[in-house]
Amino acid sequence: MAKWLLKSEPSDYSIDDLAQDEITVWNGIRNFQARNFIKEKMRVDDSILFYHSSCKLTGVVGIAKVVSEAYADPAQFDEKSQYYDKKSQQENPKWFVIDVKFERKATAIFLLKEMKTSPELEDLLLFKQSRLSVLPVTDKQWHFIVSKINS
DNA sequence: GCCAACGTTGGC
DNA sequence: GCCAACGTTGGC
């Protein structure tokens, strides 16, 4: 099973929002590389690290899981949505989503600044592509991060 | 709130 | 197909 890191701005959608909703549609991804990961690589039961970005305490704050195959993002066809894309056609959708299910909150947030100083994470794609909001993590990176948020 | 980094768009 | 201009992300 593949493992992923998903970023979200907590002022927009936080781990507490997910805990309350249980399941949410991960919509609004409008970056091609992120789209391709979702559409081509994500599978049901893949694991997710939930990361808070653009806030006071940036870092990994919980764990979630992929619970659907990729499907067309409905928001791209909704003229009233902020994610509306007039260039996307029903028969050939540009943007995709998956459903995400809450698993658990971190006991302790693993802060970005701590992640940066961990040799175990030196190859983390998060540092190389700071603007990518959907990115794969290796099994080793996964286990290291999970050990940090459970302690 | 600022600003650097970087992804996307569009003119040529 | 290149690259400048533009818009957005995200850390600080």
Side-chain angles (χ1 to χ4, degrees):
Chain A
M1 235 81 76
K3 291 161 176 81
W4 305 94
L5 185 147
L6 261 54
K7 290 186 197 171
S8 185
E9 296 185 26
S11 60
D12 188 45
Y13 196 86
S14 72
I15 187 72
D16 291 320
D17 293 325
L18 183 62
Q20 196 175 345
D21 293 346
E22 282 290 321
I23 292 181
T24 195
V25 180
W26 205 258
N27 65 6
I29 298 296
R30 295 293 180 267
N31 165 290
F32 286 107
Q33 204 181 347
R35 190 279 306 263
N36 292 342
F37 283 137
I38 289 174
K39 188 182 169 195
E40 289 156 20
K41 299 282 167 54
M42 278 193 174
R43 298 288 178 267
V44 172
D45 283 340
D46 280 0
S47 300
I48 295 168
L49 296 167
F50 196 106
Y51 176 96
H52 279 175
S53 68
S54 295
C55 59
K56 199 168 178 186
L57 297 173
T58 58
V60 175
V61 292
I63 292 175
K65 178 167 111 168
V66 177
V67 290
S68 78
E69 297 295 327
Y71 58 98
D73 186 347
Q76 69 194 306
F77 304 121
D78 178 2
E79 286 186 44
K80 291 191 283 289
S81 169
Q82 61 172 314
Y83 300 123
Y84 177 62
D85 184 345
K86 63 170 188 262
K87 291 187 195 161
S88 187
Q89 298 167 318
Q90 290 275 358
E91 60 274 20
N92 184 24
K94 253 171 95 178
W95 307 112
F96 288 79
V97 294
I98 34 100
D99 293 343
V100 170
K101 183 172 186 294
F102 177 75
E103 292 267 289
R104 62 183 190 273
K105 268 183 82 167
T107 315
I109 178 171
F110 190 20
L111 294 168
L112 175 63
K113 64 175 179 183
E114 295 163 352
M115 295 168 73
K116 279 182 176 167
T117 57
S118 304
E120 293 87 345
L121 300 178
E122 64 179 351
D123 294 326
L124 200 66
L125 209 53
L126 181 71
F127 308 141
K128 285 172 197 148
Q129 287 179 260
S130 61
R131 305 185 53 181
L132 191 57
S133 63
V134 174
L135 53 108
V137 298
T138 67
D139 282 0
K140 277 187 179 174
Q141 292 163 346
W142 169 271
H143 288 300
F144 180 74
I145 293 170
V146 168
S147 77
K148 293 292 177 180
I149 64 174
N150 286 330
S151 54

